[in-house]
């Protein structure tokens, strides 16, 4: 069953709008999709109405997580990285927690990670490797760990992974000889297991949950391999070589027994089929999509996303063949999905496009330009935070500027 059909089955047969939280990186299931309905199918000239603008969330590329009326993000203010909570409806700050010294580089200072909200707690990873658990209501600390204590080493562009919280575990990728993937007890922060068979350094992809052949797994794209590990032990279940170069960033897509991975820097994409005995078979490898860090989304048998050198692309998921590409309408960027529409954000100009996903052609349903834009971005930095759609609102970020737009049809 395709993801689009799966989303439809989650909805009521009535036309009633359904609001949905976006509690972690890339949405409820870490696939860029939400089952929310009741949203605008076309935008008026100039785009949807802006509800609020918070100008003080600090430097960085952290995306927002929205749950129970609150928005959580990370930002660097006065040289300190912080986990920040806002009222999702007004943008007013509720509390902030210090995580440690600001990470600095030429592409932009500050954190790169989206918090994860689970069962009244918020889990966040700072760019220098501090992993924290705090109360979602108050920000009161519950526990704090440092990924370097588990053998990790801060990657070239800082830790950019967003923590996975699943079945009592917080799962992250410190990298290194002690085991590249690590599971901690979500309540105490104590180590449960570390995947000692895997030793590459940390890169930037985030772990997802899959169930090939009904067997639950944690799936991660490492620098040199695409892997599945057992949730209860960290045992390596399967591995496929991956020729990662410079930076391995996009989160894998999982549908049934198949896993899709892509990176840029000349690498391309790959689809892997996992057999019942966990033997992986490569279905195809090609360069139709070479996605850098804007992410890809699977809808109704087609992968949508930006490909270096090719522009925006629609790819047949089953065969890997190019369906269409659009080079001139929008520069490189990121995307999210809600209610039969893709939300695209360009990294250079801050243009925001509402797109009807179609295997036939680029069908645009609205466009506006993000205004104002930051004056604090470094020369090599761009607008790299992915769009977030939750509870009738569209949230966008450009460094210290966090925007909220009303995209509800009601």
């Amino acid at each position: 069953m395709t993801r689009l059909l799966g989303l439809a089955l989650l909805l009521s047969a009535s036309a009633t709008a359904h609001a949905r939280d976006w509690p972690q990186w890339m949405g409820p299931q870490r696939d860029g999709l939400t089952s929310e309905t009741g949203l605008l199918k076309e935008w008026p000239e100039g785009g949807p109405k802006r509800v609020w603008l918070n100008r003080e969330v600090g430097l960085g590329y952290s995306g927002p997580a929205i749950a129970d009326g609150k928005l959580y993000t990370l930002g660097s203010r006065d040289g300190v990285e912080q986990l920040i909570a806002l009222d999702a409806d007004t943008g007013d700050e509720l509390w902030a927690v210090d995580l440690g010294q600001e990470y600095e580089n030429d592409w932009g200072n500050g954190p790169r990670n989206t918090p994860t909200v689970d069962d009244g707690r918020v889990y966040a990873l700072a760019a220098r490797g501090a992993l924290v658990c705090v109360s979602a209501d108050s920000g009161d600390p519950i526990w704090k760990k440092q990924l370097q204590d588990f053998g990790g080493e801060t990657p070239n562009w800082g830790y950019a992974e967003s923590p996975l919280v699943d079945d009592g575990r917080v799962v992250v990728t410190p990298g290194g000889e002690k085991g590249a993937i690590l599971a901690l007890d979500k309540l105490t922060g104590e180590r449960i297991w570390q995947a000692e068979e895997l030793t590459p350094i940390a890169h930037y992809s985030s772990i997802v949950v899959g169930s090939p052949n009904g067997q639950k797994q944690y799936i991660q794209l490492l620098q040199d391999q695409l892997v599945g590990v057992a949730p209860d032990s960290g045992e390596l279940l399967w591995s496929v070589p991956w020729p990662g170069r410079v930076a391995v960033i996009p989160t894998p897509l999982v549908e049934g027994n198949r896993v899709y991975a892509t990176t840029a820097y000349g690498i391309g994409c790959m689809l892997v089929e996992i057999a019942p005995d966990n033997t992986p078979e490569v279905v195809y490898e090609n360069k139709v999509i070479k996605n850098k860090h804007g992410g890809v989304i699977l809808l109704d048998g087609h992968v949508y996303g930006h490909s270096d050198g090719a522009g925006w692309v629609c790819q047949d998921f089953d065969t890997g063949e190019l369906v269409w590409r659009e080079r001139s309408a929008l520069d490189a960027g990121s995307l999210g999905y809600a209610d039969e529409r893709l939300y695209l954000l360009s990294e250079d100009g801050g243009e925001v496009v509402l797109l009807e996903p179609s295997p036939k052609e680029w069908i645009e349903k609205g466009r506006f330009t993000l205004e104002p834009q930051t004056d604090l971005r470094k020369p090599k930095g761009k607008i790299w935070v992915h769009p977030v759609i939750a509870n009738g609102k569209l949230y966008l970020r450009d460094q210290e500027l966090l925007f909220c737009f009303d995209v509800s049809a009601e």
Side-chain angles (χ1 to χ4, degrees), residues 1-190:
M1 180 181 296
T2 66
R3 291 188 176 211
L4 191 59
L5 180 57
L7 280 172
L9 292 175
L10 292 174
L11 306 177
S12 166
S14 72
T16 304
H18 292 259
R20 295 287 185 273
D21 282 344
W22 189 285
Q24 61 177 333
W25 166 246
M26 290 188 72
Q29 304 301 321
R30 295 199 156 205
D31 54 10
L33 308 173
T34 173
S35 58
E36 180 160 350
T37 60
L39 306 181
L40 291 169
K41 297 297 192 299
E42 189 167 349
W43 288 342
E45 184 176 354
K49 178 183 176 181
R50 192 177 82 190
V51 179
W52 54 258
L53 168 61
N54 186 311
R55 298 172 181 266
E56 299 178 350
V57 293
L59 300 178
Y61 296 107
S62 172
I66 292 103
D68 300 322
K70 297 183 179 66
L71 181 154
Y72 305 91
T73 192
L74 303 171
S76 181
R77 301 190 288 199
D78 298 322
V80 178
E81 293 191 9
Q82 295 181 315
L83 171 59
I84 302 166
L86 307 179
D87 185 303
D89 293 324
T90 66
D92 296 334
E93 185 168 326
L94 302 174
W95 52 257
V97 176
D98 291 351
L99 302 184
Q101 181 183 358
E102 175 183 77
Y103 177 82
E104 300 181 35
N105 76 4
D106 291 342
W107 285 261
N109 297 352
R112 286 99 161 88
N113 327 72
T114 297
T116 302
V117 189
D118 175 82
D119 196 22
R121 301 172 183 85
V122 184
Y123 301 83
L125 177 61
R128 292 184 179 272
L131 177 65
V132 303
C133 171
V134 306
S135 164
D137 286 334
S138 63
D140 291 342
I142 298 174
W143 55 259
K144 181 177 183 180
K145 300 292 180 178
Q146 195 72 31
L147 293 194
Q148 287 83 350
D149 293 339
F150 300 93
E153 182 177 338
T154 306
N156 287 338
W157 288 280
Y159 277 106
E161 176 183 22
S162 299
L164 171 70
V165 181
D166 175 72
D167 198 18
R169 309 177 189 94
V170 182
V171 192
V172 290
T173 311
E177 296 295 324
K178 291 184 179 180
I181 300 176
L182 168 72
L184 304 175
D185 185 289
K186 78 170 189 178
L187 300 180
T188 66
E190 295 304 307

Side-chain angles (χ1 to χ4, degrees), residues 341-363:
R341 293 292 182 265
L342 291 166
Y343 292 72
L344 280 52
L345 172 63
S346 73
E347 62 182 32
D348 287 314
E351 289 183 282
V352 189
V353 168
L354 187 68
L355 196 73
E356 178 181 338
S358 168
K360 296 181 180 180
E361 59 185 338
W362 175 280
I363 305 175

Side-chain angles (χ1 to χ4, degrees), residues 299-368:
L299 288 170
D300 198 21
H302 295 86
V303 180
Y304 296 86
H306 189 271
S307 178
D308 268 10
W312 290 90
V313 166
C314 174
Q315 179 187 33
D316 188 293
F317 180 72
D318 294 330
T319 68
E321 295 178 355
L322 175 68
V323 178
W324 57 254
R325 68 182 179 188
E326 173 56 56
R327 285 180 167 175
S328 61
L330 190 69
D331 59 29
S334 56
L335 76 171
Y337 170 90
D339 198 14
E340 302 178 4
R341 293 292 182 265
L342 291 166
Y343 292 72
L344 280 52
L345 172 63
S346 73
E347 62 182 32
D348 287 314
E351 289 183 282
V352 189
V353 168
L354 187 68
L355 196 73
E356 178 181 338
S358 168
K360 296 181 180 180
E361 59 185 338
W362 175 280
I363 305 175
E364 195 168 314
K365 293 295 184 178
R367 174 186 294 248
F368 70 97

Side-chain angles (χ1 to χ4, degrees), residues 135-285:
S135 164
D137 286 334
S138 63
D140 291 342
I142 298 174
W143 55 259
K144 181 177 183 180
K145 300 292 180 178
Q146 195 72 31
L147 293 194
Q148 287 83 350
D149 293 339
F150 300 93
E153 182 177 338
T154 306
N156 287 338
W157 288 280
Y159 277 106
E161 176 183 22
S162 299
L164 171 70
V165 181
D166 175 72
D167 198 18
R169 309 177 189 94
V170 182
V171 192
V172 290
T173 311
E177 296 295 324
K178 291 184 179 180
I181 300 176
L182 168 72
L184 304 175
D185 185 289
K186 78 170 189 178
L187 300 180
T188 66
E190 295 304 307
R191 179 183 180 274
I192 298 175
W193 53 255
Q194 200 159 352
E196 298 176 357
E197 298 168 271
L198 300 169
T199 58
I201 62 173
H203 267 236
Y204 313 97
S205 182
S206 294
I207 300 167
V208 294
V209 179
S211 296
N213 306 290
Q215 181 181 4
K216 187 176 179 180
Q217 304 179 3
Y218 295 149
I219 296 170
Q220 173 65 305
L221 182 60
L222 299 169
Q223 177 194 20
D224 61 354
Q225 55 192 305
L226 177 66
V227 302
V229 302
D232 58 348
S233 66
E235 176 190 358
L236 180 63
L237 300 176
W238 57 268
S239 173
V240 177
W242 183 259
R245 184 184 303 142
V246 184
V248 172
I249 303 171
T251 298
L253 293 175
V254 183
E255 185 193 59
N257 305 331
R258 298 180 293 179
V259 182
Y260 178 98
T262 177
T263 58
Y265 305 100
I267 302 303
C269 58
M270 175 174 69
L271 183 68
V272 176
E273 179 97 19
I274 309 300
D277 65 354
N278 282 317
T279 299
E281 178 183 355
V282 176
V283 179
Y284 59 77
E285 291 181 86

Side-chain angles (χ1 to χ4, degrees), residues 50 52-64 71 73-77 84 86 91 345 349-350 369-377 382-387 394-405:
R50 192 177 82 190
W52 54 258
L53 168 61
N54 186 311
R55 298 172 181 266
E56 299 178 350
V57 293
L59 300 178
Y61 296 107
S62 172
L71 181 154
T73 192
L74 303 171
S76 181
R77 301 190 288 199
I84 302 166
L86 307 179
L345 172 63
T369 300
L370 205 58
E371 292 291 346
Q373 294 184 22
T374 184
D375 294 323
L376 303 180
R377 190 186 311 130
K382 298 185 180 182
I383 302 174
W384 284 325
V385 179
H386 291 207
L394 168 64
Y395 298 91
L396 303 172
R397 180 174 180 178
D398 182 13
Q399 295 294 318
E400 82 283 6
L401 306 176
L402 182 60
F403 301 77
C404 174
F405 297 89

